[in-house]
Amino acid sequence: MIELNIPGRETLIIKHLILDLNGTIALDGEIIEGVRQRLKMLSRQLDIVITTADTTGRAVQIIEDMVEKKTDNERPFSVKLYRIEKEKEDIQKLELVKKLGMIQTISIGNGSNDALMLKESAIGICIIGKEGSAVEAVMSADLLTFDIKDSLDLLMIPQRMVATLRK
Protein backbone atom coordinates (compact mmCIF):
# COMPACT_ATOMS: atom_id res chain seq x y z
CA MET A 1 0.00 0.00 0.00
CA ILE A 2 1.17 3.52 -0.82
CA GLU A 3 -0.50 6.49 0.87
CA LEU A 4 -0.57 9.70 -1.15
CA ASN A 5 -1.47 12.96 0.58
CA ILE A 6 -1.82 15.36 -2.33
CA PRO A 7 -2.71 18.95 -1.37
CA GLY A 8 -6.03 19.93 -2.93
CA ARG A 9 -7.11 16.31 -3.33
CA GLU A 10 -8.32 13.59 -1.01
CA THR A 11 -5.79 11.18 0.49
CA LEU A 12 -5.30 8.16 -1.75
CA ILE A 13 -4.57 4.66 -0.48
CA ILE A 14 -3.08 2.85 -3.48
CA LYS A 15 -3.14 -0.95 -3.41
CA HIS A 16 -2.93 -1.88 -7.10
CA LEU A 17 -0.65 -1.07 -10.02
CA ILE A 18 -1.81 -1.94 -13.53
CA LEU A 19 0.82 -1.88 -16.26
CA ASP A 20 0.39 -2.29 -19.98
CA LEU A 21 2.98 -4.76 -21.31
CA ASN A 22 3.99 -3.85 -24.86
CA GLY A 23 5.27 -0.32 -25.29
CA THR A 24 5.11 0.37 -21.56
CA ILE A 25 7.27 -2.13 -19.65
CA ALA A 26 8.47 -4.09 -22.70
CA LEU A 27 9.83 -2.98 -26.04
CA ASP A 28 9.93 -5.34 -29.02
CA GLY A 29 8.99 -8.27 -26.78
CA GLU A 30 11.67 -7.70 -24.11
CA ILE A 31 11.34 -6.20 -20.63
CA ILE A 32 13.04 -2.80 -20.54
CA GLU A 33 16.26 -2.74 -18.54
CA GLY A 34 15.71 -1.67 -14.93
CA VAL A 35 11.98 -2.48 -14.86
CA ARG A 36 12.33 -5.87 -13.20
CA GLN A 37 14.23 -4.51 -10.20
CA ARG A 38 11.72 -1.72 -9.67
CA LEU A 39 8.72 -4.06 -9.94
CA LYS A 40 10.33 -6.41 -7.45
CA MET A 41 10.61 -3.57 -4.92
CA LEU A 42 7.10 -2.30 -5.62
CA SER A 43 5.62 -5.79 -5.29
CA ARG A 44 6.26 -5.51 -1.55
CA GLN A 45 3.73 -2.66 -1.38
CA LEU A 46 1.39 -3.15 -4.31
CA ASP A 47 -0.55 -5.85 -6.11
CA ILE A 48 0.94 -5.66 -9.63
CA VAL A 49 -1.12 -6.62 -12.67
CA ILE A 50 0.32 -6.63 -16.18
CA THR A 51 -2.29 -6.45 -18.91
CA THR A 52 -1.87 -7.30 -22.57
CA ALA A 53 -3.58 -8.53 -25.70
CA ASP A 54 -0.24 -10.33 -26.25
CA THR A 55 0.64 -8.73 -29.57
CA THR A 56 4.00 -10.51 -29.70
CA GLY A 57 2.64 -13.87 -28.48
CA ARG A 58 5.30 -13.95 -25.76
CA ALA A 59 3.50 -12.49 -22.73
CA VAL A 60 3.58 -15.61 -20.55
CA GLN A 61 7.26 -16.23 -21.29
CA ILE A 62 8.18 -12.56 -20.70
CA ILE A 63 6.46 -12.54 -17.30
CA GLU A 64 7.89 -15.92 -16.26
CA ASP A 65 11.41 -14.84 -17.24
CA MET A 66 11.03 -11.58 -15.35
CA VAL A 67 9.79 -13.00 -12.04
CA GLU A 68 11.88 -16.18 -12.01
CA LYS A 69 15.18 -14.51 -12.91
CA LYS A 70 17.14 -14.13 -9.69
CA THR A 71 20.60 -13.72 -8.29
CA ASP A 72 22.11 -15.44 -5.23
CA ASN A 73 19.84 -15.34 -2.17
CA GLU A 74 17.15 -13.43 -4.05
CA ARG A 75 13.54 -14.49 -3.77
CA PRO A 76 11.29 -14.43 -6.83
CA PHE A 77 8.40 -12.00 -6.75
CA SER A 78 4.85 -12.12 -7.99
CA VAL A 79 2.93 -10.24 -10.66
CA LYS A 80 -0.37 -11.22 -12.23
CA LEU A 81 -0.91 -11.44 -15.97
CA TYR A 82 -4.31 -10.23 -17.19
CA ARG A 83 -4.85 -11.21 -20.81
CA ILE A 84 -7.40 -9.33 -22.84
CA GLU A 85 -9.06 -10.19 -26.12
CA LYS A 86 -8.07 -8.29 -29.26
CA GLU A 87 -11.40 -6.45 -29.53
CA LYS A 88 -12.60 -3.64 -27.28
CA GLU A 89 -9.29 -3.72 -25.43
CA ASP A 90 -9.94 -0.32 -23.85
CA ILE A 91 -13.21 -1.54 -22.28
CA GLN A 92 -11.55 -4.70 -20.92
CA LYS A 93 -8.78 -2.66 -19.30
CA LEU A 94 -11.36 -0.29 -17.81
CA GLU A 95 -13.25 -3.28 -16.38
CA LEU A 96 -10.03 -4.44 -14.70
CA VAL A 97 -9.61 -1.02 -13.06
CA LYS A 98 -13.21 -1.14 -11.84
CA LYS A 99 -12.78 -4.67 -10.53
CA LEU A 100 -9.66 -3.75 -8.53
CA GLY A 101 -11.12 -0.46 -7.32
CA MET A 102 -10.66 2.77 -9.23
CA ILE A 103 -9.67 4.85 -6.18
CA GLN A 104 -7.06 2.28 -5.12
CA THR A 105 -5.36 1.85 -8.49
CA ILE A 106 -2.57 3.52 -10.42
CA SER A 107 -2.36 2.64 -14.10
CA ILE A 108 0.52 3.09 -16.51
CA GLY A 109 0.23 2.80 -20.29
CA ASN A 110 0.85 4.49 -23.62
CA GLY A 111 -1.74 3.36 -26.17
CA SER A 112 -5.24 4.30 -27.25
CA ASN A 113 -6.46 1.12 -25.57
CA ASP A 114 -5.03 2.44 -22.28
CA ALA A 115 -6.88 5.78 -22.30
CA LEU A 116 -9.98 4.72 -20.34
CA MET A 117 -7.82 2.85 -17.82
CA LEU A 118 -5.63 5.92 -17.30
CA LYS A 119 -8.59 8.27 -17.00
CA GLU A 120 -10.56 6.22 -14.47
CA SER A 121 -7.70 5.14 -12.19
CA ALA A 122 -6.91 7.18 -9.09
CA ILE A 123 -3.78 8.22 -10.98
CA GLY A 124 -3.02 7.49 -14.62
CA ILE A 125 0.54 7.78 -15.90
CA CYS A 126 1.22 7.89 -19.62
CA ILE A 127 4.63 6.91 -20.99
CA ILE A 128 5.88 8.73 -24.05
CA GLY A 129 8.63 6.23 -24.80
CA LYS A 130 10.37 4.76 -27.82
CA GLU A 131 7.09 3.35 -29.11
CA GLY A 132 5.45 6.76 -28.78
CA SER A 133 2.12 7.44 -27.18
CA ALA A 134 -1.41 7.89 -28.43
CA VAL A 135 -2.75 11.43 -28.01
CA GLU A 136 -5.87 9.96 -26.42
CA ALA A 137 -3.71 8.31 -23.73
CA VAL A 138 -1.78 11.54 -23.13
CA MET A 139 -5.00 13.51 -22.71
CA SER A 140 -6.44 10.92 -20.28
CA ALA A 141 -3.44 10.76 -17.95
CA ASP A 142 -2.70 12.70 -14.77
CA LEU A 143 1.06 12.51 -15.37
CA LEU A 144 3.37 12.09 -18.36
CA THR A 145 6.86 10.63 -18.30
CA PHE A 146 9.33 9.73 -21.01
CA ASP A 147 10.54 6.49 -19.43
CA ILE A 148 8.90 3.63 -17.54
CA LYS A 149 11.71 3.71 -14.98
CA ASP A 150 10.84 7.33 -14.17
CA SER A 151 7.19 6.34 -13.76
CA LEU A 152 8.02 3.50 -11.40
CA ASP A 153 10.40 5.75 -9.47
CA LEU A 154 7.46 8.09 -8.83
CA LEU A 155 5.82 5.23 -6.95
CA MET A 156 8.97 4.42 -5.01
CA ILE A 157 9.50 8.09 -4.12
CA PRO A 158 5.89 9.34 -3.96
CA GLN A 159 6.86 12.87 -2.86
CA ARG A 160 7.84 13.50 -6.48
CA MET A 161 4.33 12.64 -7.62
CA VAL A 162 2.77 14.70 -4.85
CA ALA A 163 4.85 17.73 -5.87
CA THR A 164 3.58 17.45 -9.44
CA LEU A 165 -0.09 16.74 -8.69
CA ARG A 166 -0.71 19.27 -5.89
CA LYS A 167 -3.35 21.88 -6.68
Side-chain angles (χ1 to χ4, degrees), residues 73-150:
N73 300 323
E74 183 183 49
R75 291 182 166 178
F77 65 101
S78 177
V79 299
K80 294 177 184 131
L81 179 62
Y82 184 82
R83 294 180 80 145
I84 58 174
E85 299 299 318
K86 294 186 179 179
E87 287 188 31
K88 298 184 180 177
E89 295 172 23
D90 58 341
I91 301 298
Q92 293 174 70
K93 289 181 177 185
L94 175 60
E95 290 302 318
L96 174 60
V97 171
K98 288 179 178 179
K99 178 181 172 185
L100 295 177
M102 297 183 308
I103 63 170
Q104 298 177 329
T105 302
I106 289 180
S107 295
I108 304 176
N110 73 319
S112 287
N113 65 2
D114 298 321
L116 291 175
M117 171 180 82
L118 296 173
K119 184 176 180 71
E120 297 302 327
S121 294
I123 296 175
I125 303 173
C126 183
I127 307 282
I128 305 175
K130 293 185 187 288
E131 194 176 274
S133 183
V135 172
E136 187 178 5
V138 170
M139 299 301 291
S140 298
D142 297 292
L143 288 164
L144 303 175
T145 65
F146 291 100
D147 187 278
I148 182 59
K149 293 173 288 211
D150 293 337

Side-chain angles (χ1 to χ4, degrees), residues 36-92:
R36 180 190 178 278
Q37 297 83 354
R38 285 167 173 85
L39 291 181
K40 182 177 189 265
M41 287 190 287
L42 286 168
S43 71
R44 296 177 194 147
Q45 297 175 279
L46 300 171
D47 172 38
I48 299 173
V49 180
I50 297 172
T51 182
T52 184
D54 202 8
T55 306
T56 65
R58 297 193 58 242
V60 171
Q61 188 63 52
I62 290 169
I63 301 305
E64 285 177 359
D65 289 349
M66 181 177 60
V67 298
E68 292 176 3
K69 175 184 170 185
K70 59 182 183 175
T71 58
D72 293 337
N73 300 323
E74 183 183 49
R75 291 182 166 178
F77 65 101
S78 177
V79 299
K80 294 177 184 131
L81 179 62
Y82 184 82
R83 294 180 80 145
I84 58 174
E85 299 299 318
K86 294 186 179 179
E87 287 188 31
K88 298 184 180 177
E89 295 172 23
D90 58 341
I91 301 298
Q92 293 174 70

Side-chain angles (χ1 to χ4, degrees), residues 22-39:
N22 295 305
T24 301
I25 66 167
L27 183 64
D28 301 327
E30 299 293 328
I31 292 292
I32 295 168
E33 183 71 33
V35 168
R36 180 190 178 278
Q37 297 83 354
R38 285 167 173 85
L39 291 181

